[in-house]
Amino acid sequence: MMDASKYAVGYYNPPKHEYRWVKKDHIEKAPIWCSVDLRDGNQSLIVPMNLQEKLEFFKMLVKVGFKEIEVGFPAASETEYTFLRTLIENNMIPEDVTVQVLTQCRDHIIRKTFEAVQGAPRAVIHFYNSTSVAQREQVFKKSKSEIKKIATDGAALVKQLAAEYPGNFRFEYSPESFTGTEPEYALEVCNAVLDILEPTPEKPVIINLPVTVAMSMSHVYANQIEYMSDNLKYRNSVVLSLHPHNDRGCGVADTELALLAGADRVEGTLFGNGERTGNVDVITLAMNLYTHGVDPHLDFSDMPAIVELYERVTRMHVYERTPYAGALVFAAFSGSHQDAIAKGMNWRKKHGLHQWTVPYIPVDPTDIGRTYDADVIRINSQSGKGGIGYLLQQKFGYDLPPKMREHFGYTVKAVSDHAHKELPPEEVFGVFRSTYLNKQSPVSVQEAHFIQKSGIFAVVTVSVNGQARECSGQGNGRLDAVCNAVKAACGMDFTIETYSEHSLEHGSTSEAAAYVGLRWADGSTTWGAGTDTDIIQAGIKALASAVNNK
């Protein structure tokens, strides 16, 4: 049996006041983004990236638009140190990008960090120490004043070394395990650090408040952030930063509410890679802003390429249902969903809408490098006529009449159900082709000649089981006349119930498609489709196909 009694509330609410963030309903602008993929993300990989892989990842982050990138813990390993030196010595850091390096508040590690970063055009020295009750009592066995002194000693040393080393340095301080720290004490420590660093609006200091371990519901974190934002010294010279982890599965919610509460900056990773359950997913955050009409200042217009590189160099897998990026996030298998999406797509096209309003799909897949035909309508035994027909139209140009679309839908579902698999678009088209298109056996119309006489008179050569015979028919149009001739030749009893035609949108612009539905004397209906450069011939082929489907 599970025993919940062993768990108690491990977080700390700030002093009560009326929180303003709860009255806001959206985030108005993008935060400053800092990727920690190459440090926090990399250290959590089973096989960390090698030098070439990290360089490739760094270039991708720059291309996406990150202006701040934490490149590692250079004092921790030779690989981390070499990577940073490679970036610096090969002038690989763009003019508008700042690299960030992490260091504990320990004298020799801070000094090693400055040695590693010298020569960088711009660098953030990110120093930290843990302040939580659990860490103070169980790990360090130090008092509040002793823990605060670790932070202030670190601040004094980074300030001193920044003056001694050439370079353009900024500072970031994190009270690690902030969410397990009393907010009043976290504030005391951060303000003590700020007093030493003396930030200015021209050279602000980053105060980073990490969800090192998620302990509370998201609104509590937002309360903590607003309390800190309201009470930090030098607030107009402080960049208030977030670094949420995802232990409770609430990393995105924690971050969004904390941004409402006054935070300015977010540290996270692509696809949420990180220790344990991961860091906050920057892609989800950025795309959530995008779907609310806010420019995230990050470019995910080629999401498939980003996924490919990420999976290749990290050896991680982007889950198929990962928001925005997963292989199946736009896929609709449900028939009712497919029908609504198809109608929404057609509505948007018909009305020339710029605004995205399509049901079930929160973002236009083409905005992030995905396609409608391959990603949106996916066909299996759960699919419906609307989605199957929409795929056939979008991918191959065939716009079936509604009742034929329904018949085709059931045909495709039966194939998928019997095979117990999804059908790719080409296989769906194969079902259409073999079931309806240009079927010329056992009945085909080899020739047809028309005379305008009391309507249309047709002289038709019909082949039945390979035996050709000439017959004639009268009708109110050419197809009707051919239809009557075929009935006479074959001794069949049917009428044309449905006929439609259109030029093919895909492939040769000179081809036309026609569709015929026949109503038989026994009450059944059969369908056929035909294509030809001549619309009359396309209709005749469709008629023969429908006859052959009896």
Side-chain angles (χ1 to χ4, degrees):
M1 292 288 292
M2 297 174 67
D3 181 9
S5 66
K6 70 169 69 171
Y7 300 100
V9 171
Y11 58 87
Y12 301 87
N13 264 306
K16 298 292 183 183
H17 71 277
E18 183 181 357
Y19 293 103
R20 301 179 303 282
W21 69 265
V22 298
K23 299 177 182 178
K24 301 177 182 178
D25 61 5
H26 69 285
I27 300 167
E28 296 180 351
K29 65 177 182 178
I32 300 166
W33 302 106
C34 177
S35 163
V36 294
D37 290 89
L38 296 170
R39 198 276 303 169
D40 206 341
N42 186 61
Q43 75 183 36
S44 66
L45 297 175
I46 297 172
V47 180
M49 289 179 274
N50 61 34
L51 176 60
Q52 290 306 315
E53 289 168 339
K54 292 186 80 171
L55 291 172
E56 189 175 4
F57 205 115
F58 178 82
K59 291 176 183 177
M60 184 261 285
L61 293 172
V62 171
K63 183 178 179 181
V64 166
F66 285 96
K67 302 304 179 186
E68 296 183 6
I69 301 172
E70 189 166 89
V71 294
F73 200 142
S77 75
E78 189 62 32
T79 301
E80 301 275 285
Y81 184 92
T82 301
F83 172 57
L84 176 57
R85 294 312 308 165
T86 300
L87 291 176
I88 295 170
E89 292 167 10
N90 289 278
N91 297 315
M92 299 178 69
I93 305 169
E95 285 298 317
D96 60 347
V97 172
T98 300
V99 294
Q100 180 171 301
V101 289
L102 185 68
T103 175
Q104 295 171 330
C105 285
R106 298 174 66 184
D107 186 284
H108 71 285
I109 297 178
I110 292 174
R111 293 182 184 277
K112 178 74 171 179
T113 300
F114 271 91
E115 291 174 13
V117 82
Q118 61 181 317
R122 284 154 312 283
V124 171
I125 309 298
H126 180 189
F127 63 102
Y128 74 95
N129 68 304
S130 187
T131 58
S132 70
V133 174
Q135 295 265 24
R136 295 196 314 257
E137 293 178 349
Q138 300 173 34
V139 179
F140 298 107
K141 297 180 174 60
K142 291 183 182 294
S143 66
K144 285 183 176 181
S145 60
E146 290 173 313
I147 293 293
K148 183 172 74 171
K149 188 173 188 303
I150 293 173
T152 54
D153 285 351
L157 183 57
V158 299
K159 185 178 181 180
Q160 172 194 327
L161 294 177
E164 295 175 1
Y165 280 83
N168 182 8
F169 301 111
R170 292 170 54 207
F171 307 121
E172 174 177 349
Y173 173 68
S174 290
E176 191 199 10
S177 301
F178 166 77
T179 45
T181 304
E182 309 91 321
E184 299 93 328
Y185 177 62
L187 179 68
E188 178 185 336
V189 174
C190 290
N191 278 336
V193 167
L194 290 170
D195 280 338
I196 292 171
L197 298 178
E198 299 178 301
T200 65
E202 295 73 32
K203 199 162 186 178
V205 166
I206 301 166
I207 293 294
N208 186 56
L209 303 176
V211 182
T212 306
V213 178
M215 297 178 172
S216 69
M217 294 176 67
S218 301
H219 73 287
V220 174
Y221 184 52
N223 292 346
Q224 294 167 338
I225 295 301
E226 189 167 277
Y227 170 76
M228 296 292 287
S229 179
D230 286 349
N231 293 284
L232 280 170
K233 291 183 177 182
Y234 315 94
R235 185 62 184 90
N236 68 336
S237 301
V238 168
V239 175
L240 187 56
S241 180
L242 311 170
H243 184 113
H245 281 245
N246 200 41
D247 302 271
R248 291 171 51 89
C250 299
V252 170
D254 289 348
T255 307
E256 290 185 329
L257 296 190
L259 287 171
L260 291 178
D264 309 303
R265 181 179 184 268
V266 173
E267 295 186 348
T269 60
L270 303 185
F271 310 110
N273 180 41
E275 297 282 10
R276 304 181 309 280
T277 56
N279 287 48
V280 68
D281 182 353
V282 169
I283 291 178
T284 299
L285 285 169
M287 291 303 301
N288 282 357
L289 287 173
Y290 183 75
T291 60
H292 280 182
V294 177
D295 184 354
H297 302 300
L298 293 176
D299 182 3
F300 295 114
S301 60
D302 193 357
M303 193 73 78
I306 295 170
V307 171
E308 185 281 325
L309 188 149
Y310 171 84
E311 292 188 327
R312 176 165 48 82
V313 303
T314 67
R315 297 142 185 103
M316 299 285 285
H317 173 63
V318 175
Y319 173 50
E320 287 79 2
R321 302 292 182 186
T322 297
Y324 304 107
L328 296 179
V329 296
F330 296 115
F333 292 101
S334 161
S336 61
H337 287 205
Q338 291 179 345
D339 184 61
I341 291 168
K343 289 175 178 175
M345 295 286 201
N346 288 329
W347 173 274
R348 189 167 182 267
K349 181 178 179 180
K350 177 181 177 181
H351 291 83
L353 296 180
H354 173 70
Q355 203 73 26
W356 184 257
T357 61
V358 175
Y360 294 113
I361 306 180
V363 63
D364 185 344
T366 63
D367 285 355
I368 53 175
R370 306 285 288 272
T371 59
Y372 299 132
D373 50 20
D375 293 308
V376 177
I377 305 296
R378 303 284 290 267
I379 305 303
N380 64 13
S381 60
Q382 306 301 308
S383 302
K385 62 182 185 297
I388 294 170
Y390 181 78
L391 182 145
L392 191 69
Q393 179 182 2
Q394 291 296 307
K395 183 76 173 176
F396 302 103
Y398 290 87
D399 186 10
L400 278 57
K403 290 184 179 180
M404 184 180 183
R405 184 174 288 200
E406 181 176 1
H407 186 272
F408 179 50
Y410 283 117
T411 302
V412 169
K413 288 171 66 172
V415 172
S416 175
D417 193 28
H418 181 75
H420 299 289
K421 69 173 187 176
E422 178 188 357
L423 301 184
E426 290 71 19
E427 199 163 339
V428 172
F429 181 65
V431 174
F432 169 74
R433 185 173 52 227
S434 63
T435 306
Y436 307 103
L437 188 59
N438 296 337
K439 296 182 72 173
Q440 301 299 300
S441 178
V443 176
S444 66
V445 177
Q446 296 182 332
E447 287 186 69
H449 303 280
F450 303 99
I451 302 171
Q452 193 155 353
K453 176 183 177 182
S454 301
I456 297 293
F457 182 79
V459 178
V460 180
T461 301
V462 179
S463 175
V464 181
N465 293 319
Q467 299 297 314
R469 66 190 71 173
E470 188 175 278
C471 53
S472 62
Q474 186 80 31
N476 57 17
R478 295 187 179 191
L479 187 63
D480 188 42
V482 172
C483 176
N484 290 329
V486 171
K487 286 195 291 185
C490 301
M492 296 176 174
D493 188 5
F494 57 80
T495 57
I496 297 178
E497 184 177 62
T498 302
Y499 174 78
S500 67
E501 63 186 45
H502 62 80
S503 61
L504 278 175
E505 298 176 5
H506 293 241
S508 172
T509 56
S510 63
E511 274 203 316
Y515 311 96
V516 169
L518 299 180
R519 184 75 169 177
W520 295 78
D522 62 4
S524 64
T525 300
T526 58
W527 295 95
T531 56
D532 198 275
T533 54
D534 182 280
I535 189 60
I536 300 300
Q537 290 300 315
I540 292 171
K541 289 179 180 179
L543 171 67
S545 295
V547 169
N548 290 321
N549 276 331
K550 179 60 178 174

